[in-house]
Every structure is written in structure tokens, then in C-alpha cells.
Amino acid sequence: MHDIAIKIALIGAAGIAAQWLAWRLQLPAIVLLLIAGFIAGPATGFITPAADFGEIYRPLVSLAVAIILFEGGLSLNFREIRETSKAVRRIIILAGPMVWAMTAVSAHVIGGLSWPTAIVLGAVLVVTGPTVIIPLLRQAQLNSRPASILRWEAIVNDPIGALFAVLSFEVILVVFGRHQVDNLLALVTIGMVIAVGGGLAAAKAIEWAFARGHVPEYLKAPVLFASVLGAYALTNLALEEAGLLTVTIMGVALANTRITSLTDMRRFKETITTLLVSGVFIILTASLTPADIVSLDWRAALFVASLLVVIRPVAIMIATIGAGLTMQERLLTAWIAPRGVVAVAVSGLFGTLLLDAGVEDAGRMTAFAFAVVVTTIVLHGFTLGPLAAFLKLKQDSKPGILIVGGSRWSTTLARKLKEIEVPVMLADPNWNHLTEARLASIPVYFGEVLSEQAHHAIDPKRFANLIAASDNEAYNALVCTDFGPELGRSNVFQIGRSEDTGRQSINFTLGGRPLALPGAGFHELRERLLSGWTFQITRLTDEFNWDTYQQTRADNAMIMFWIKPSGAIIFASVSGSKPQANDRVLSFALPRDEARIEAIRAANAAGGIAGTSEAHGPADPNLSSTTASDRDSNR
């Protein structure tokens, strides 16, 4: 018992360590999970899942896969698929069966597998695992359309591939005389009706219960979690593995409801899914035996090559003719199709069932599936980013800033950021507040930034930081609280907030970090701008360093952030370090006192200190003088 506890703890620790290293080293997380599982299993023999966990091994893996698919379904909103729905439909309806048929032929002719094993393997390899695609998309920063296609295909195809495998297996049993044809048709029909109807009914029941207040807030996530497991298990009683379709439909249906607390539950499910993906992938990799590895010969290698460079590209290129995609998007989709947890889990399940049915080489199916999984994870994991960049399907890798609040101060800041080529967007629900920004060709979002529509229209991955700068401090805090989990709480900032922790201050768990120290509120920033303050950008050098730079600033100058040569943005209010040479410092202050700077240069001349390299636009004359009505304006 203690040994099992240690092994479970090791699996959890290794999984999260692999995820952290992947984030730190900017590597595909699945590759590191694969290495961890190989070391824990085939290399050392420390973990042997089938022996360690016994009869509960397969059911636990299946339940984990069900939760992963449900969480994936929660990320599929119909608004996102509007411009890619035709392509996704064709990939699933046309390309899926083509991949199944061609893979089965290749597995038999090239791989040397028997027809029963080849047909089931072809069905299994239709899937393009979300457990692999989603982490890859998180790191690759693709444009929204190709990312949407790959994500939708991966999540929808997983249960469909499992159902193809079920159908293949049942047909094989009919051929072997184990089942009757009429029984098979009835079984599949009933199973599909229960799977689809059950998923929709479960989602509707949850929506009704949550909307009517029949479930308290603290129980919503646990109730959802238990409902997924129950729906999966009950559907499987009618048709093996049809539960995967049930939970996927359930997730998609819930994602398109108006449950107000769904966002919080989705974050909970994402946490659970990260743990499950890490643990399940290590367990499945560890289950691979040395005998399985030895069974992979040159014919298996040729089979994998045919799947990657012939079968998938041909199926996708045919299916997407006239689907409204560019050639670059079709090429990327044709190449990227990594397999993951579901392929290994389902192949292991049906390999065992086929062995029981008398198919002698069924045990090789798991080894072939694992060869495909390993190859696609490594190749696609390391080529997605470079290929997307080559095909110009990658988002701007520079971290940008989303500014909420279209005041004159915000617009002036956005104009300066655009001038120095920092990606920026200005968001405000008042169209008039965005007039100056639109005239300056600054990207804008007109609407409520807290709305569901905004979360689909504004890609959080493009903006590494947020500045809430409206004239309502409570609203600024709400915006930062809402975007904190997506961008990271250390990357959301608001004006007017200080580090004061007195009785009147907002709790540190709410709102954002102060934009600058000392903090200045909306009206103070507006008055400073109207009195001639400007945004100034200064590049530091080895000679004109941070200490010298500070001497040239007025005492009340606001140092906001500095930009590293890599493009990373470091905010002064939260950084414990100093800007270095080649960093560009952005400040908000009165125009420079040139006489004072010359005096400092002269005083330091004996030490060899050179001049500055500073660039800033002159103060807008329209902003330096105002009328009484301007000063009374909320803007």
C-alpha cells in the first residue's frame, strides 16, 4: 500500500514538474511527459501500471479521458467556429472516414497486421488528441482561424474515433459469428441515441438546476464533476466507449449556455484536466513494455511514415477543397495531427478485447498506436511553431498591452506604444471615447470588455499585460480581477491604486497591481496631461545607465515600465530589478529640462559618460491648454 502511494505521488510530482519545465524552457509539455513516463516505466521498471493498479487501471484511465474530453468541450463556443465551421465539418465528415480506410489498408499492407487489427487501429488513429493539441496551441500562438480548426477537430474527433473503433470491433464479432447483424444494428442505434440524447439532456438539466438556484455556488463544480462521471458510465452500459461522445456533447452544450458561474467552473476543470493529462500520459507511457518496443520493426516505421506524409495530407487536402481556407491553412492542418491519450487508451482496450476474441496479433496494436503517438508528438510538437511562422500563420510574438478605458490619457499612451511598435488595443463601451484612437489607427474594441463577446473577440494570448484606466476605480478593480486568471495576476494593472493596506484599501486578492508608484488616480493623470506632461521613451546604454537616467528625471516623474530587447515588458511598480543597457524606459513626466541634462553630462564628462539616446514626441499643443469645459469633462 505504501509503495502504491509513493508511486502515485511520484506520478503527480513528475507530471507537474514536466509541465513547469515545459513552461520554463518553452518546450512542448507532452514531450517532457513522454520522457518522464518512459523513465518511470520501460527504462527503470519502477512503475508497471497494469500490475500496480490491477483491475481499476483501465476504468480509471477511461474516466480520466472522459473528464479531459468534457473540459475540452467546455472550450468550444459556437461563436468561435462561425468562420471555420465548413472546414471543421468537412475534416470530420470527409477526412475522418478517409483516414480510417487508408490507415487500415496501410496497417495491413505495409505494417503487416491482420485485417481485424488493422481496421480497428485505423479507426483509433482517426483521433487527433486534444491532450496534445491544446498544450501545443497554448505555446505556438497561432492565428485564431487555424487554431480554431485544430482545436475543434481534436476534441470532436476523439469520441468519433472511439466510436469508429467500437463499430469496427462489433463488425469483427459479427464476422467471427459472436454477434448477429440485427443485434449489432440495434445496439449501435440505441447507443448513439443514448449518447447524443444523454449528453444534451444532462447539459439541459445542469443548466436548469444552476439557473434556478437549486445548487449552491460551492457545490456547482463538484456536481458538474460527478455528473460527467455518471453520464459517461451510464452511456457505456448501452455501448462501449459511447460515453466519450456523451461527455463531449455535454461539454459543448454547456459551453454555449448562459450559466453565469461557468467561467469559474471552467477554471476548476482546467486545473483538474492539467493534473489528469500529466498523470494519465505518464501512466500510459509507463505501461509500454520492452517487448512492445522490440515488436516495432522497419514495417512499423514505414506505416507511421505513410500515415504522416501521405494519408493525413491527402485526406485533408481533398476534404478542404472549397472550404474557404487559404493554402497555408490547409498545409498546416494537413501536417499537424498529433495523437495522444485517447489513441493509446482505446487501442489498449480494444487490443485486449481482440485478443480475447482470438485475433493473435491484436497485442501489436498498442505498440503501433504508441509509435504513432511518440512520433507525432515529437515531430508536430517541435515543428508547429516554426511551420506556422514560415506560413505566416503565427500571431505577433511581441507581448502587447490591452488598455481598458478610452480617455485622452489612455489614447496618448496607446499612441506612444504604437509608435514604439508595442502591440496595443484600446477598449471602451463608449464609441466617442475611441474617436481619437481610431483616427490614430490604434486597434480598438468597442463594447463591454467584461462581456462574453469580448472574451471571444479579444485574444488574451496576444496581450501579456492589461492596464485598467477608466475613471471608475471599482470598475478597474473588477476588470483586473476578471482578467487576472487568464493573463496572470502579476500582469494586470490599474491606475489610482497604491500599496496602501489600510482599512479603506481593496483586498490584495481583488483588482490589479498599481500601474506606477506612487499611484495616481484618473483625475490626477488627466490634469497632468492637460498641463503638459508627456510620455517619454529613453534607451539606456552602458554609459547612460539607470542611475544617470534617474538624475535627468523630475522628482515626480512616473516611471511606468521598461521594454527589454526581447520585447518583454517589465513594470516598475512590481519589479525588484533595475533596467539594464539597451532597455527602453517609458515614463510619464513633464518635458525634459535640457539645461539640467547638459549640466549632468558635463559633470560626468570626466568619467567618460556619454549622452542619452532618448526619443519622445513633443507635447500635443492641443493638450497643453484647455478650456474650463475640458477640465470639467469626465474624459
Side-chain angles (χ1 to χ4, degrees):
M1 182 64 68
H2 293 296
D3 290 340
I4 296 297
I6 292 175
K7 292 180 179 181
I8 293 175
L10 177 64
I11 291 170
I16 298 306
Q19 293 276 5
W20 182 84
L21 280 175
W23 165 77
R24 191 69 180 177
L25 303 177
Q26 293 298 299
L27 294 174
I30 300 296
V31 174
L32 297 182
L33 291 171
L34 187 69
I35 295 173
F38 182 81
I39 293 173
T44 63
F46 180 75
I47 297 176
T48 52
D52 291 336
F53 303 109
E55 295 182 356
I56 67 171
Y57 166 55
R58 292 294 177 190
L60 285 178
V61 171
S62 298
L63 288 172
V65 171
I67 295 170
I68 292 168
L69 284 179
F70 173 75
E71 194 277 329
L74 280 180
S75 67
L76 300 182
N77 193 288
F78 290 136
R79 293 180 180 178
E80 177 190 315
I81 202 176
R82 284 175 181 170
E83 61 175 340
T84 59
S85 58
K86 187 176 182 180
V88 172
R89 285 198 307 270
R90 289 193 175 193
I91 289 173
I92 294 171
I93 297 174
L94 299 179
M98 283 192 286
V99 169
W100 180 8
M102 289 188 289
T103 302
V105 172
S106 177
H108 176 70
V109 176
I110 299 177
L113 298 179
S114 65
W115 274 116
T117 303
I119 291 173
V120 176
L121 179 62
V124 170
L125 294 181
V126 167
V127 305
T128 56
T131 56
V132 186
I133 280 290
I134 292 175
L136 289 183
L137 293 179
R138 188 178 297 123
Q139 294 176 331
Q141 295 182 326
L142 291 182
N143 290 339
S144 60
R145 194 159 74 169
S148 174
I149 293 171
L150 292 175
R151 181 165 57 250
W152 273 87
E153 180 201 3
I155 295 172
V156 175
N157 254 1
D158 257 22
I160 290 177
L163 289 175
F164 283 171
V166 172
L167 182 61
S168 303
F169 177 70
E170 294 295 338
V171 170
I172 290 169
L173 291 183
V174 169
V175 173
F176 285 1
R178 303 285 185 89
H179 285 172
Q180 299 298 320
V181 176
D182 55 348
N183 292 339
L184 171 62
L185 294 175
L187 181 65
V188 172
T189 302
I190 293 173
M192 290 297 294
V193 170
I194 293 176
V196 176
L200 293 174
K204 197 67 178 178
I206 290 173
E207 181 185 9
W208 177 83
F210 286 7
R212 296 295 182 89
H214 295 303
V215 180
E217 287 294 328
Y218 75 96
L219 281 181
K220 285 184 177 179
V223 166
L224 194 61
F225 188 83
S227 299
V228 171
L229 299 180
Y232 169 76
L234 290 175
T235 306
N236 276 358
L237 293 177
L239 183 64
E240 189 71 35
E241 296 306 316
L244 295 179
L245 181 59
T246 298
V247 298
T248 303
I249 291 175
M250 184 178 169
V252 175
L254 283 174
N256 291 275
T257 61
R258 295 184 176 275
I259 300 177
T260 55
S261 55
L262 190 61
T263 300
D264 294 333
M265 289 184 288
R266 186 184 289 116
R267 289 167 184 160
F268 169 77
K269 302 293 287 185
E270 287 175 352
T271 301
I272 297 297
T273 300
T274 300
L275 293 170
L276 290 177
V277 168
S278 304
V280 168
F281 211 86
I282 288 177
I283 289 174
L284 291 176
T285 308
S287 67
L288 196 63
T289 65
D292 294 329
I293 299 175
V294 172
S295 69
L296 297 173
D297 53 13
W298 63 271
R299 301 187 69 175
L302 287 179
F303 163 72
V304 174
S306 70
L307 180 62
L308 267 65
V309 301
V310 178
I311 295 173
R312 167 76 179 185
V314 168
I316 293 298
M317 296 304 287
I318 292 176
T320 55
I321 294 175
L325 302 181
T326 65
M327 180 57 69
Q328 292 91 332
E329 290 169 338
R330 294 172 68 193
L331 289 172
L332 182 74
T333 306
W335 171 245
I336 301 299
R339 276 67 171 185
V341 169
V342 174
V344 177
V346 175
S347 65
L349 170 65
F350 284 101
T352 303
L353 294 175
L354 285 173
L355 281 174
D356 295 341
V359 180
E360 295 182 357
D361 67 344
R364 298 184 65 198
M365 184 165 63
T366 302
F368 270 59
F370 226 106
V372 173
V373 169
V374 172
T375 305
T376 55
I377 284 175
V378 174
L379 286 182
H380 298 162
F382 284 106
T383 60
L384 176 56
L387 179 60
F390 176 76
L391 296 175
K392 298 182 179 179
L393 295 175
K394 200 169 184 178
Q395 292 180 348
D396 192 338
S397 59
K398 292 182 180 180
I401 298 179
L402 173 62
I403 304 175
V404 179
S407 67
R408 189 169 293 178
W409 182 88
S410 299
T411 303
T412 307
L413 171 59
R415 187 185 290 114
K416 175 60 69 174
L417 293 174
K418 184 174 183 291
E419 178 185 317
I420 60 177
E421 298 183 345
V422 172
V424 62
M425 176 178 282
L426 203 61
D428 198 290
N430 189 319
W431 183 250
N432 293 327
H433 290 182
L434 299 173
T435 300
E436 291 183 25
R438 289 184 288 108
L439 292 176
S441 299
I442 297 170
V444 300
Y445 175 76
F446 169 54
E448 175 52 65
V449 77
L450 296 175
S451 68
E452 182 182 356
Q453 176 62 34
H455 282 261
H456 293 291
I458 301 174
D459 186 2
K461 301 182 185 67
R462 188 183 175 203
F463 302 103
N465 304 280
L466 176 143
I467 297 175
S470 76
D471 60 351
N472 188 323
E473 186 172 347
Y475 178 75
N476 292 338
L478 182 60
V479 169
C480 291
T481 302
D482 185 68
F483 278 85
E486 292 188 55
L487 302 180
R489 297 199 180 277
S490 59
N491 298 320
V492 290
F493 301 85
Q494 66 181 92
I495 62 173
R497 188 166 189 180
S498 66
E499 293 292 350
D500 178 31
T501 56
R503 295 177 60 184
Q504 301 300 322
S505 64
I506 300 176
N507 188 285
F508 73 92
T509 59
L510 300 175
R513 313 297 291 271
L515 177 60
L517 295 177
F522 176 86
H523 297 289
E524 186 175 357
L525 292 175
R526 183 192 63 183
E527 293 301 320
R528 289 180 180 180
L529 181 68
L530 297 176
S531 63
W533 285 45
T534 62
F535 290 98
Q536 304 161 18
I537 189 75
T538 305
R539 185 185 299 276
L540 302 185
T541 65
D542 290 330
E543 294 79 17
F544 189 76
N545 57 27
W546 174 242
D547 292 333
T548 306
Y549 169 82
Q550 287 183 302
Q551 296 178 40
T552 68
R553 302 297 102 179
D555 294 337
N556 58 352
M558 296 176 60
I559 308 299
M560 298 180 62
F561 53 77
W562 53 89
I563 305 169
K564 309 293 289 185
S566 64
I569 301 173
I570 311 298
F571 281 78
S573 63
V574 296
S575 175
S577 60
K578 297 180 180 180
Q580 306 297 320
N582 295 319
D583 291 350
R584 292 176 296 167
V585 182
L586 187 141
S587 62
F588 181 56
L590 284 169
R592 298 175 303 170
D593 185 344
E594 299 294 343
R596 183 183 180 189
I597 293 176
E598 290 301 327
I600 294 174
R601 287 175 177 170
N604 293 326
I609 297 179
T612 72
S613 174
E614 180 170 346
H616 65 85
D620 188 338
N622 294 324
L623 303 182
S624 60
S625 61
T626 62
T627 63
S629 60
D630 289 328
R631 292 184 179 275
D632 293 337
S633 169
N634 287 332
R635 295 198 62 238

